Amino acid sequence: MTKFPKVFIYDLDGVITDTAEFHFLAWQKLAEELGISFDRQFNEQLKGISRMDSLDRILAIDPSLQTYSSEEKEKLATRKNEYYLELIEAVNPSHILPGIEALLLANKEANVKIALGSASKNAPAILDKLGLTGYFDYLVDASKVEKGKPDPETFTTAADALGIAYPDCVGLEDSAAGVEAINKANMFSVGIGDAAHLSHADYLVTDTAALVFEEIIGQYQKKSPRF
Ligand code: BG6
Ligand code: MG
Protein backbone atom coordinates (compact mmCIF):
# COMPACT_ATOMS: atom_id res chain seq x y z
CA MET A 1 0.00 0.00 0.00
CA THR A 2 1.27 3.47 -0.81
CA LYS A 3 2.27 5.39 2.25
CA PHE A 4 0.40 8.61 3.00
CA PRO A 5 1.38 11.14 5.67
CA LYS A 6 -1.05 11.74 8.53
CA VAL A 7 -0.02 15.24 9.56
CA PHE A 8 1.76 18.31 8.21
CA ILE A 9 3.62 20.20 10.96
CA TYR A 10 4.14 23.81 9.91
CA ASP A 11 6.70 26.25 11.13
CA LEU A 12 5.23 29.77 11.36
CA ASP A 13 7.83 32.51 10.89
CA GLY A 14 8.98 32.50 7.27
CA VAL A 15 6.64 29.66 6.26
CA ILE A 16 3.07 30.77 6.97
CA THR A 17 3.85 34.48 7.06
CA ASP A 18 6.92 36.63 6.60
CA THR A 19 7.47 37.46 10.27
CA ALA A 20 11.02 36.07 9.91
CA GLU A 21 11.80 39.49 8.43
CA PHE A 22 10.33 41.25 11.48
CA HIS A 23 12.43 39.11 13.85
CA PHE A 24 15.49 40.15 11.82
CA LEU A 25 14.59 43.86 11.94
CA ALA A 26 13.86 43.77 15.69
CA TRP A 27 17.14 42.00 16.49
CA GLN A 28 19.03 44.41 14.24
CA LYS A 29 17.58 47.37 16.11
CA LEU A 30 18.62 45.92 19.46
CA ALA A 31 22.08 45.02 18.14
CA GLU A 32 22.61 48.57 16.85
CA GLU A 33 21.78 49.92 20.30
CA LEU A 34 24.46 47.61 21.69
CA GLY A 35 26.96 48.90 19.13
CA ILE A 36 27.11 45.77 17.01
CA SER A 37 25.76 44.90 13.61
CA PHE A 38 24.98 41.73 11.70
CA ASP A 39 23.78 40.97 8.21
CA ARG A 40 21.23 38.65 6.62
CA GLN A 41 23.84 35.94 6.20
CA PHE A 42 24.45 35.90 9.98
CA ASN A 43 20.68 36.08 10.54
CA GLU A 44 20.20 32.69 8.86
CA GLN A 45 21.54 31.00 12.01
CA LEU A 46 19.00 32.88 14.17
CA LYS A 47 16.06 31.48 12.22
CA GLY A 48 14.15 28.82 14.11
CA ILE A 49 16.00 29.17 17.40
CA SER A 50 14.56 30.57 20.62
CA ARG A 51 14.62 34.19 21.72
CA MET A 52 17.33 33.65 24.34
CA ASP A 53 19.49 31.45 22.10
CA SER A 54 19.28 34.17 19.44
CA LEU A 55 20.38 36.81 21.95
CA ASP A 56 23.32 34.66 23.03
CA ARG A 57 24.48 34.29 19.44
CA ILE A 58 24.20 38.03 18.83
CA LEU A 59 26.10 38.91 22.02
CA ALA A 60 28.80 36.41 21.04
CA ILE A 61 29.64 38.67 18.05
CA ASP A 62 31.45 41.04 20.44
CA PRO A 63 33.66 39.51 23.16
CA SER A 64 33.18 42.66 25.30
CA LEU A 65 29.45 41.86 25.58
CA GLN A 66 29.88 38.65 27.59
CA THR A 67 29.38 40.27 30.98
CA TYR A 68 25.58 40.58 31.06
CA SER A 69 23.81 38.90 33.98
CA SER A 70 20.83 36.71 33.24
CA GLU A 71 18.50 39.49 34.48
CA GLU A 72 20.09 41.95 32.05
CA LYS A 73 19.78 39.42 29.25
CA GLU A 74 16.09 38.92 30.08
CA LYS A 75 15.63 42.70 29.77
CA LEU A 76 17.40 42.78 26.40
CA ALA A 77 15.28 39.88 25.12
CA THR A 78 12.12 41.64 26.34
CA ARG A 79 13.20 44.84 24.60
CA LYS A 80 13.67 42.94 21.34
CA ASN A 81 10.22 41.42 21.76
CA GLU A 82 8.71 44.88 22.26
CA TYR A 83 10.23 45.99 18.94
CA TYR A 84 8.92 42.82 17.36
CA LEU A 85 5.40 43.31 18.77
CA GLU A 86 5.31 46.82 17.26
CA LEU A 87 6.25 45.36 13.88
CA ILE A 88 3.60 42.63 13.95
CA GLU A 89 0.79 44.90 15.15
CA ALA A 90 -0.52 45.37 11.61
CA VAL A 91 -0.36 41.68 10.64
CA ASN A 92 -3.63 40.57 9.02
CA PRO A 93 -4.87 37.84 6.64
CA SER A 94 -3.30 39.61 3.66
CA HIS A 95 0.09 38.65 5.16
CA ILE A 96 -0.43 34.91 4.65
CA LEU A 97 2.33 33.84 2.26
CA PRO A 98 1.31 32.67 -1.26
CA GLY A 99 0.26 29.02 -1.52
CA ILE A 100 -0.17 28.48 2.21
CA GLU A 101 -3.93 28.68 2.51
CA ALA A 102 -4.34 26.42 -0.55
CA LEU A 103 -2.03 23.90 1.11
CA LEU A 104 -3.98 24.03 4.38
CA LEU A 105 -7.20 23.47 2.42
CA ALA A 106 -5.61 20.53 0.57
CA ASN A 107 -4.60 19.06 3.95
CA LYS A 108 -8.22 19.29 5.11
CA GLU A 109 -9.60 17.76 1.92
CA ALA A 110 -7.19 14.84 2.16
CA ASN A 111 -7.89 14.39 5.87
CA VAL A 112 -4.27 15.08 6.75
CA LYS A 113 -4.01 16.78 10.13
CA ILE A 114 -2.42 20.18 10.62
CA ALA A 115 -0.12 21.19 13.47
CA LEU A 116 2.03 24.20 14.29
CA GLY A 117 5.63 23.62 15.37
CA SER A 118 6.99 27.11 15.96
CA ALA A 119 9.67 28.21 18.42
CA SER A 120 7.84 31.50 18.89
CA LYS A 121 5.89 32.37 22.01
CA ASN A 122 4.04 34.88 19.82
CA ALA A 123 2.90 32.18 17.38
CA PRO A 124 -0.70 31.66 18.62
CA ALA A 125 -1.38 35.43 18.54
CA ILE A 126 0.02 35.72 15.00
CA LEU A 127 -2.01 32.74 13.79
CA ASP A 128 -5.10 34.51 15.17
CA LYS A 129 -4.21 37.76 13.42
CA LEU A 130 -3.89 35.81 10.16
CA GLY A 131 -7.30 34.21 10.74
CA LEU A 132 -5.81 30.70 10.41
CA THR A 133 -6.22 29.24 13.92
CA GLY A 134 -9.33 27.26 12.90
CA TYR A 135 -7.32 25.10 10.50
CA PHE A 136 -5.04 23.73 13.21
CA ASP A 137 -5.54 20.46 15.10
CA TYR A 138 -2.65 21.16 17.47
CA LEU A 139 -0.34 24.05 18.38
CA VAL A 140 2.97 23.24 20.07
CA ASP A 141 3.39 25.53 23.08
CA ALA A 142 6.90 26.99 22.58
CA SER A 143 7.16 27.90 26.26
CA LYS A 144 6.88 24.19 27.20
CA VAL A 145 9.51 22.90 24.78
CA GLU A 146 12.71 22.17 26.71
CA LYS A 147 15.08 21.67 23.80
CA GLY A 148 14.51 24.01 20.88
CA LYS A 149 15.37 23.39 17.21
CA PRO A 150 17.62 21.78 15.96
CA ASP A 151 16.51 19.30 18.64
CA PRO A 152 13.53 17.32 17.32
CA GLU A 153 11.40 17.96 20.45
CA THR A 154 9.18 20.65 18.84
CA PHE A 155 8.14 18.26 16.08
CA THR A 156 7.90 15.10 18.17
CA THR A 157 5.71 17.00 20.67
CA ALA A 158 3.14 17.66 17.92
CA ALA A 159 3.24 14.06 16.68
CA ASP A 160 2.95 12.63 20.20
CA ALA A 161 0.02 14.91 21.04
CA LEU A 162 -1.84 13.71 17.94
CA GLY A 163 -0.80 10.07 18.41
CA ILE A 164 0.94 9.91 15.02
CA ALA A 165 4.12 7.92 14.31
CA TYR A 166 7.07 10.12 13.28
CA PRO A 167 7.57 8.61 9.79
CA ASP A 168 3.94 9.58 9.07
CA CYS A 169 4.74 13.27 9.59
CA VAL A 170 5.77 15.98 7.15
CA GLY A 171 7.46 19.09 8.56
CA LEU A 172 7.71 22.41 6.71
CA GLU A 173 10.53 24.80 7.57
CA ASP A 174 12.45 27.83 6.32
CA SER A 175 15.33 27.47 8.79
CA ALA A 176 18.40 25.22 8.74
CA ALA A 177 17.85 24.41 12.43
CA GLY A 178 14.23 23.47 11.73
CA VAL A 179 15.03 21.16 8.81
CA GLU A 180 17.66 19.48 10.99
CA ALA A 181 15.05 19.03 13.75
CA ILE A 182 12.57 17.41 11.33
CA ASN A 183 15.22 15.06 9.95
CA LYS A 184 16.34 14.08 13.44
CA ALA A 185 12.71 13.32 14.32
CA ASN A 186 12.68 10.84 11.41
CA MET A 187 10.02 12.88 9.63
CA PHE A 188 9.93 14.07 6.00
CA SER A 189 11.35 17.59 5.71
CA VAL A 190 10.13 20.22 3.28
CA GLY A 191 12.55 23.14 3.12
CA ILE A 192 11.40 26.54 1.88
CA GLY A 193 14.25 28.79 0.76
CA ASP A 194 17.78 28.65 -0.49
CA ALA A 195 19.82 25.51 -1.16
CA ALA A 196 22.80 27.29 0.39
CA HIS A 197 21.13 26.91 3.81
CA LEU A 198 18.62 24.10 3.32
CA SER A 199 20.37 21.45 1.22
CA HIS A 200 19.64 18.88 3.96
CA ALA A 201 15.86 19.09 3.30
CA ASP A 202 14.26 15.97 1.81
CA TYR A 203 12.42 18.24 -0.60
CA LEU A 204 13.30 21.87 -1.26
CA VAL A 205 11.25 24.64 -2.84
CA THR A 206 12.45 28.22 -3.30
CA ASP A 207 9.32 29.86 -1.90
CA THR A 208 5.87 29.05 -0.55
CA ALA A 209 4.18 29.74 -3.91
CA ALA A 210 5.88 26.57 -5.16
CA LEU A 211 4.27 24.37 -2.47
CA VAL A 212 1.82 21.95 -4.09
CA PHE A 213 0.15 19.30 -1.96
CA GLU A 214 0.29 16.48 -4.55
CA GLU A 215 3.95 17.20 -5.27
CA ILE A 216 4.86 17.03 -1.56
CA ILE A 217 3.00 13.72 -1.26
CA GLY A 218 4.80 12.36 -4.34
CA GLN A 219 8.19 13.35 -2.94
CA TYR A 220 7.29 11.88 0.45
CA GLN A 221 6.34 8.58 -1.17
CA LYS A 222 9.61 8.47 -3.13
CA LYS A 223 11.59 9.05 0.05
CA SER A 224 9.57 6.83 2.32
CA PRO A 225 12.03 3.89 2.08
CA ARG A 226 14.17 5.98 4.43
CA PHE A 227 11.59 5.46 7.14
C1 BG6 B 1 11.17 31.34 15.57
C2 BG6 B 1 11.91 32.36 14.75
O1 BG6 B 1 10.03 30.93 14.89
O2 BG6 B 1 10.78 31.89 16.83
C3 BG6 B 1 13.07 32.94 15.52
O3 BG6 B 1 12.38 31.74 13.56
C4 BG6 B 1 12.58 33.47 16.86
O4 BG6 B 1 13.67 33.97 14.77
C5 BG6 B 1 11.86 32.36 17.63
O5 BG6 B 1 13.67 33.95 17.65
C6 BG6 B 1 11.32 32.82 18.97
O6 BG6 B 1 10.29 33.75 18.77
P1 BG6 B 1 9.66 34.64 19.92
O7 BG6 B 1 8.46 35.30 19.23
O8 BG6 B 1 9.22 33.73 21.03
O9 BG6 B 1 10.68 35.62 20.36
MG1 MG C 1 10.85 29.85 10.46
Side-chain angles (χ1 to χ4, degrees):
M1 203 185 78
T2 324
K3 222 166 138 40
F4 212 84
K6 296 201 171 78
V7 62
F8 276 28
I9 307 171
Y10 290 77
D11 175 45
L12 177 81
D13 299 311
V15 170
I16 291 178
T17 186
D18 200 12
T19 35
E21 180 67 13
F22 295 150
H23 280 294
F24 171 58
L25 295 174
W27 281 125
Q28 244 195 351
K29 185 169 176 184
L30 183 81
E32 269 167 29
E33 290 166 358
L34 299 174
I36 44 179
S37 64
F38 65 88
D39 57 14
R40 284 178 189 277
Q41 173 64 24
F42 179 89
N43 186 60
E44 282 302 320
Q45 59 169 298
L46 304 183
K47 287 185 179 173
I49 68 170
S50 73
R51 201 180 299 170
M52 202 40 86
D53 287 348
S54 302
L55 178 64
D56 283 336
R57 290 201 192 190
I58 290 167
L59 294 178
I61 294 172
D62 183 346
S64 75
L65 295 174
Q66 304 314 301
T67 52
Y68 287 111
S69 66
S70 41
E71 290 76 31
E72 286 168 325
K73 287 210 288 184
E74 278 300 336
K75 280 193 189 149
L76 291 174
T78 301
R79 207 202 295 173
K80 179 269 174 176
N81 195 49
E82 283 162 5
Y83 298 152
Y84 179 69
L85 291 177
E86 276 170 34
L87 291 167
I88 61 167
E89 210 169 306
V91 168
N92 65 53
S94 75
H95 294 94
I96 301 168
L97 282 169
I100 291 297
E101 199 151 13
L103 195 61
L104 292 168
L105 280 167
N107 278 182
K108 287 274 173 222
E109 271 166 31
N111 235 343
V112 173
K113 289 204 182 318
I114 300 171
L116 191 77
S118 169
S120 172
K121 294 176 182 156
N122 295 299
I126 293 173
L127 216 49
D128 268 349
K129 279 171 175 286
L130 296 170
L132 293 177
T133 308
Y135 281 106
F136 283 78
D137 297 291
Y138 186 77
L139 309 183
V140 174
D141 181 347
S143 66
K144 297 214 174 95
V145 171
E146 280 174 25
K147 288 182 241 135
K149 302 168 191 177
D151 188 278
E153 184 181 337
T154 302
F155 291 92
T156 55
T157 299
D160 292 347
L162 294 166
I164 295 172
Y166 305 153
D168 296 336
C169 302
V170 169
L172 299 98
E173 265 288 350
D174 69 318
S175 72
V179 168
E180 189 180 333
I182 297 166
N183 292 348
K184 280 188 187 153
N186 200 24
M187 300 176 181
F188 182 81
S189 56
V190 178
I192 299 149
D194 201 329
H197 308 290
L198 304 178
S199 59
H200 50 317
D202 292 317
Y203 173 51
L204 182 64
V205 294
T206 50
D207 54 54
T208 58
L211 291 168
V212 177
F213 182 72
E214 292 74 17
E215 183 62 27
I216 296 171
I217 299 298
Q219 295 288 335
Y220 168 87
Q221 288 170 342
K222 262 200 231 162
K223 193 88 183 188
S224 56
R226 184 185 97 198
F227 302 136

